[in-house]
Amino acid sequence: MSATVPDSFDVIVIGAGPGGYVCAIRAAQLGMKVACVEKRATLGGTCLNVGCIPSKALLHSTEHYDEAKHKFATHGVVVGEVSFDLPQMMKHKADVVGANVKGVEFLFKKNKITWLKGAGSIPAPGKVAVDGKEYAAKHIVIATGSESIPLPGVEVDEKKIVTSTGALELETVPGHLVVIGGGVIGLELGSVWKRLGAEVTVVEFLDRLAPGLDAEVGKQFDRVLQKQGMKLKLKTKVTAAKVTDKGVDLTLEPAAGGAAETLSADIVLLAIGRRPYLEGLGLDKVGVKLTPRGRVEVGPHFETNVPGIYAIGDAIDGAMLAHKAEDEGSALAEMLAGQKPHINYDAIPSVIYTWPEVAAVGKTEEELKAKGVAYKVGKFPFTANARARAMAETDGFVKVIADAKTDQVLGAHIIGPDAGTLIAELAMAIEFGASSEDVARTCHAHPTLSEAVKEAALAVEGRALHI
Ligand code: FAD
Ligand code: NAI
């Protein structure tokens, strides 16, 4: 370590994922002296190295392949035999990751943030230890992220039984990929390998995929994925996995109990959720309290029970999403600088980057019913949207949910082409406290997919124009 590294800082952030690196940048912008501890060889955390970015690179590449193979002909584009080059896809993914992690390193230099390389721990309030050296900090931020949840009886070797990290690195397309857990990771990475020719079976404990989705969207999602050839085994649990010469034999049982069956796979992807990663921080010694579910307990200003120690991102409660972690990082830095930022957790969108995409923001109908809130719903299908027809991508719909009395937008759910981009205006509507009428009266360019959002908003008052 260079002798010029100072040994005291205003803020030391532990973990350089989207929560930590954004917190470090914002704190530096606000004039604080900042260090960020990261033990990985590159900055950017799970998201940039083994999460959002590499998975989206592979999703995008395989989408192109799938289009060339199955969709070009509709548009009168004739290509010869379509094939793919897996090493090139993997190289593209590695290049994208490389550019992004170097980008964060550049931003650290630009903002004069010291990268303390190594694993950090908190020996006492106000102190962070890295590689045997201690640094003092007025404020310490835990932004150490999350890791894959293990399943007893299914031992991950990252070769035949993999987590998302291994599933992003497979050297050949598996004949049969069995995904344990029908959540976001399983469906996105299952889609990647399905498009490249793998048979994909998703084993899900519950009676539906991605259980947090609006029920109507969820139903359509199940149908679309099955139409694409994904096999679903719902209400089923995996109780054992035996690695064989050929692959893996899984023991499956009905979730409610009953006769077991064996399912053979070449590769098994374990994706039953993620849990906070707090190993080696020494939180028990310093007395930082955890929630019953093992996340760091924080108050409204991200403060733990130990003064001067804060936590953000996947390490604390809430959705494990990169943009949620980023917003928390930014808000915390502003709070430390004496500002009063606010995060509206009802306005945080979530997106599943399959094709079609699935996107949501705010409340589902089920949540509103459970709370006894009276609401109105407007829906518009992509079959009636001119641009979706031109694209030959008409699966799905937009649904806008508004308060029955005030018309304020409470939630929005989209399954369809580019749903992840379309949800942004509805997140903004919720952030601004807009009514469905505000969205409906906003001029949307023609012909765009976003007109389906306007039409769904018009449909809240029963006055959609094109259906
Ligand atoms: P992380 O990104 O996990 O970063 C924590 C960092 O802390 C790591 O680099 C780790 O090495 C470091 N660290 C841990 N302990 C220490 C220590 N003691 N000392 C030093 N360093 C330490 N979210 C989305 O919003 N969109 C997506 O498309 C998306 N796709 C995903 C795909 C996959 C396959 C996975 C696994 C996740 C995906 N996520 C996605 C979730 C997203 O990656 C996380 O929500 C996000 O990375 C959380 O950010 P974070 O800063 O809290 O933690
Ligand atoms: P998840 O929580 O999305 O899904 C896990 C699924 O596994 C659930 O449907 C659950 O019912 C099921 N399950 C749990 N235990 C099971 C068992 N024993 N057998 C069978 N099924 C079981 O978790 P996932 O997919 O691992 O992703 C982790 C997190 O990473 C997500 O919660 C999300 O926050 C983040 N992520 C976000 C992405 C995005 O924003 N596009 C992409 C990938 C990950």
Side-chain angles (χ1 to χ4, degrees):
M1 185 160 299
S2 150
T4 58
V5 172
D7 53 17
S8 89
F9 295 89
D10 295 318
V11 183
I12 298 184
V13 182
I14 308 179
Y21 85 71
V22 167
C23 184
I25 292 173
R26 189 73 188 115
Q29 281 178 346
L30 292 166
M32 288 177 250
K33 191 167 144 196
V34 183
C36 185
V37 191
E38 175 55 60
K39 62 182 179 148
R40 206 184 281 270
T42 48
L43 300 171
T46 303
C47 171
L48 270 59
N49 289 281
V50 291
C52 325
I53 300 305
S55 60
K56 265 77 261 181
L58 286 183
L59 277 158
H60 211 76
S61 298
T62 56
E63 243 162 58
H64 283 322
Y65 171 64
D66 191 68
E67 274 176 45
K69 206 161 168 186
H70 301 293
K71 300 182 179 174
F72 277 10
T74 306
H75 296 277
V77 178
V78 182
V79 286
E81 177 114 358
V82 180
S83 59
F84 62 87
D85 175 351
L86 188 56
Q88 173 56 30
M89 275 185 193
M90 292 294 179
K91 181 185 176 302
H92 171 66
K93 179 200 69 170
D95 289 347
V96 173
V97 168
N100 278 283
V101 298
K102 280 198 198 87
V104 177
E105 209 171 325
F106 162 79
L107 293 172
F108 269 25
K109 284 192 186 125
K110 180 182 161 202
N111 289 285
K112 301 190 172 45
I113 295 161
T114 303
W115 174 5
L116 300 172
K117 295 183 184 179
S121 61
I122 309 175
K127 286 193 181 358
V128 172
V130 186
D131 267 351
K133 186 167 174 353
E134 268 189 20
Y135 301 87
K138 278 189 219 141
H139 310 291
I140 298 170
V141 180
I142 299 165
T144 48
S146 63
E147 61 178 357
S148 179
I149 295 178
L151 180 62
V154 181
E155 200 165 317
V156 169
D157 58 12
E158 293 297 5
K159 288 192 178 80
K160 286 185 178 166
I161 303 181
V162 298
T163 64
S164 51
T165 302
L168 289 164
E169 295 288 339
L170 300 182
E171 285 170 7
T172 54
V173 178
H176 185 201
L177 173 70
V178 175
V179 179
I180 309 178
V184 200
I185 290 181
L187 300 176
E188 287 188 357
L189 294 180
S191 293
V192 163
W193 294 106
K194 173 88 202 56
R195 289 169 192 162
L196 297 180
E199 180 189 349
V200 175
T201 306
V202 178
V203 182
E204 165 59 48
F205 186 78
L206 298 175
D207 59 357
R208 53 191 282 205
L209 297 175
L213 292 180
D214 171 89
E216 212 176 347
V217 169
K219 252 190 220 145
Q220 171 122 2
F221 194 32
D222 279 22
R223 271 201 300 271
V224 173
L225 291 174
Q226 291 190 73
K227 206 168 85 186
Q228 290 173 6
M230 215 179 251
K231 293 189 179 134
L232 309 182
K233 277 191 169 288
L234 303 177
K235 294 195 264 184
T236 305
K237 62 183 175 189
V238 173
T239 51
K242 188 164 170 268
V243 175
T244 65
D245 288 348
K246 281 179 66 193
V248 186
D249 287 341
L250 292 172
T251 307
L252 269 48
E253 284 177 29
E261 60 171 315
T262 302
L263 182 66
S264 298
D266 296 290
I267 299 286
V268 172
L269 164 57
L270 180 64
I272 58 167
R274 292 178 65 83
R275 64 181 183 191
Y277 178 80
L278 305 169
E279 211 175 291
L281 283 174
L283 296 189
D284 44 347
K285 267 190 253 155
V286 83
V288 169
K289 261 201 210 153
L290 303 186
T291 67
R293 300 188 62 205
R295 304 217 191 177
V296 179
E297 190 175 289
V298 292
H301 302 109
F302 307 107
E303 76 283 13
T304 68
N305 60 309
V306 179
I309 303 181
Y310 305 81
I312 55 172
D314 281 11
I316 66 169
D317 263 343
M320 288 188 166
L321 294 173
H323 41 283
K324 177 253 189 195
E326 286 187 44
D327 284 4
E328 289 178 343
S330 197
L332 172 57
E334 290 169 4
M335 283 174 193
L336 296 179
Q339 299 182 1
K340 292 188 168 48
H342 171 71
I343 296 179
N344 178 358
Y345 285 94
D346 274 336
I348 293 181
S350 62
V351 182
I352 307 179
Y353 296 89
T354 44
W355 194 265
E357 290 181 349
V358 177
V361 65
K363 303 284 188 233
T364 61
E365 284 196 62
E366 294 71 39
E367 284 169 328
L368 292 172
K369 265 183 208 141
K371 281 186 155 186
V373 177
Y375 62 88
K376 306 173 282 185
V377 174
K379 254 172 58 180
F380 191 80
F382 284 106
T383 43
N385 175 271
R387 186 61 177 275
R389 283 196 202 125
M391 293 165 69
E393 294 289 357
T394 52
D395 276 339
F397 58 88
V398 179
K399 180 189 220 180
V400 173
I401 306 174
D403 188 284
K405 278 199 210 99
T406 65
D407 193 35
Q408 185 172 358
V409 177
L410 301 177
H413 305 274
I414 307 178
I415 176 167
D418 285 335
T421 305
L422 296 175
I423 203 74
E425 72 164 296
L426 292 158
M428 190 180 282
I430 292 180
E431 182 69 30
F432 286 5
S435 62
S436 77
E437 188 182 355
D438 290 327
V439 178
R441 287 192 182 277
T442 302
C443 189
H444 288 67
H446 176 74
T448 60
L449 295 172
S450 73
E451 287 172 292
V453 173
K454 177 188 173 105
E455 290 277 359
L458 281 168
V460 170
E461 290 298 342
R463 59 191 198 95
L465 294 163
H466 290 89
I467 195 154

